[in-house]
């Protein structure tokens, strides 16, 4: 009788699944993921989003006319029926004045930064890329502007042009130009002699193509961070000029004007000054939180 040979059970053949190649994420997608994980930055973005929607919806909101005077209801406290946030010394509704005034103050900040960013970027690119004559003339002029304290220089420009909202916006824009020019110049000096730029020159690319397709895109991350932090300063500067009587003029609804008008009644009705002050504080704080988050997110060295 032949011995029975036991066959060893072989383990089932497992199908080896081919690993799919991982998609390479771009730097902007990575930056957005970092930004969304930053709780402080997300909080700032949410506050800014709510305030932006509120300010843009002012024409359709069921609020009173910000310039409607009612002397019989002057200096009403917060919580008054028909005037949730009270009234000022002329009986004007503070809620409507805060919303309409915020449209002016925030718009000044964004427009002033856009103007300063535009001219500062152009001047910085010319100085950093072409160097020599452009660098000497442009940067010496920027050094002259930066030699003066920002606030004093803005006051001097407004004094020369005359008080007013438009002149205030021009003044704070001029003061901000050197800030962006120096940032862009530093980046342009760093990138102009790198291999990819030298390769483009060897292939016959023109100066305009190199500047706008290679150097400028690499200057955007620090510019975005600087602009997000600078908007808050512009809003503060414009409100400060209005508080001093150099910017927006009464009876315009603007946060700086409201602060100036409410200081006379700080003991009797402190909310008239505290409300616009708190609005400025909230916007500037939110912008700083977002700016700090963008700085961390766009920094390639951060984990």
């Amino acid at each position: 009788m032949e011995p029975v040979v036991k066959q060893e059970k072989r383990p089932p053949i497992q199908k080896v699944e081919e690993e799919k190649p991982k998609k390479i994420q771009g730097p902007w997608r990575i930056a957005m993921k970092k930004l969304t994980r930053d709780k402080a930055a997300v909080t700032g973005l949410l506050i800014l989003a709510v305030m932006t929607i509120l300010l843009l919806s002012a024409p359709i909101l069921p609020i009173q006319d910000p310039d409607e005077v009612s002397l019989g209801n002057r200096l009403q406290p917060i919580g008054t029926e028909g005037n949730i946030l009270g009234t000022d010394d002329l009986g004007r509704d503070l809620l409507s004045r805060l919303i309409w005034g915020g449209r002016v103050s925030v718009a000044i900040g964004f427009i002033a930064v856009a103007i300063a960013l535009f001219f500062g970027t152009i001047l910085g690119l010319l100085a950093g890329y072409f160097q020599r004559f452009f660098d000497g003339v442009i940067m010496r002029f920027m050094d002259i502007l930066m030699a003066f304290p920002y606030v004093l220089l803005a006051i001097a420009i407004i004094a020369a042009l005359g008080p007013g909202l438009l002149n205030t916006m021009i003044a704070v824009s001029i003061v901000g130009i050197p800030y962006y020019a120096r940032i862009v110049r530093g980046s342009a000096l760093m990138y102009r002699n790198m291999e990819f730029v030298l390769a483009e020159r060897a292939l016959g690319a023109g100066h305009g193509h190199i500047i706008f397709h290679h150097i400028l895109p690499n200057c955007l991350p620090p510019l975005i961070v600087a602009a997000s932090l600078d908007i808050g300063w512009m809003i503060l500067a414009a409100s400060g000029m209005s508080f001093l009587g150099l910017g927006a003029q009464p009876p315009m609804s603007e946060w700086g004007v409201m602060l100036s008008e409410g200081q006379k009644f700080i003991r009797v009705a402190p909310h008239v000054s505290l409300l616009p002050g708190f609005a400025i504080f909230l916007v500037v704080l939110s912008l700083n939180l977002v700016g700090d988050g963008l700085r961390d997110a766009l920094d390639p060295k951060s984990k």
Side-chain angles (χ1 to χ4, degrees), residues 160-182:
L161 298 176
L165 189 62
L166 179 61
N167 293 339
T168 299
M169 188 167 57
I170 294 173
V172 295
S173 300
I174 293 174
V175 169
I177 289 175
Y179 179 51
Y180 298 102
R182 293 183 71 87

Side-chain angles (χ1 to χ4, degrees), residues 148-158 175 241:
F148 297 93
Y150 289 158
V151 176
L152 291 181
L153 181 59
I155 292 175
I157 295 173
I158 295 173
V175 169
M241 296 300 108

Side-chain angles (χ1 to χ4, degrees), residues 16-45:
V16 180
E17 296 181 357
E18 296 181 358
E19 294 184 0
K20 296 181 180 179
K22 295 181 179 180
K23 293 182 180 180
I24 300 176
Q25 296 182 345
W28 293 105
R29 185 181 293 274
I30 296 174
M32 285 302 299
K33 285 187 175 181
K34 290 181 181 178
L35 185 64
T36 53
R37 288 197 293 264
D38 191 335
K39 295 181 179 179
V42 172
T43 302
L45 282 172

Side-chain angles (χ1 to χ4, degrees), residues 30-31 34 221 225 293-303:
I30 296 174
K34 290 181 181 178
V225 175
L294 285 172
R295 180 186 58 195
D296 296 337
L298 295 174
D299 186 3
K301 297 180 182 178
S302 64
K303 295 181 180 181

Side-chain angles (χ1 to χ4, degrees), residues 109-224:
F110 277 91
I111 295 173
V113 167
I115 295 172
L117 179 63
F118 177 76
F119 288 103
T121 300
I122 292 176
L123 294 175
L125 287 172
L126 291 175
Y129 182 80
F130 293 104
Q131 294 185 318
R132 297 182 182 179
F133 174 78
F134 290 99
D135 192 21
V137 173
I138 293 174
M139 296 316 297
R140 296 300 75 76
F141 181 66
M142 296 295 106
D143 291 340
I144 292 173
L145 291 179
M146 295 187 71
F148 297 93
Y150 289 158
V151 176
L152 291 181
L153 181 59
I155 292 175
I157 295 173
I158 295 173
L161 298 176
L165 189 62
L166 179 61
N167 293 339
T168 299
M169 188 167 57
I170 294 173
V172 295
S173 300
I174 293 174
V175 169
I177 289 175
Y179 179 51
Y180 298 102
R182 293 183 71 87
I183 293 174
V184 176
R185 174 183 176 270
S187 298
L189 286 173
M190 180 174 62
Y191 290 111
R192 70 184 301 275
N193 292 321
M194 285 191 170
E195 289 79 3
F196 65 93
V197 175
L198 296 177
E200 286 289 329
R201 287 180 187 159
L203 293 173
H207 294 309
H209 178 82
I210 293 174
I211 290 174
F212 293 105
H213 287 81
H214 297 284
I215 294 181
L216 182 59
N218 286 289
C219 298
L220 288 180
L223 282 178
I224 292 173

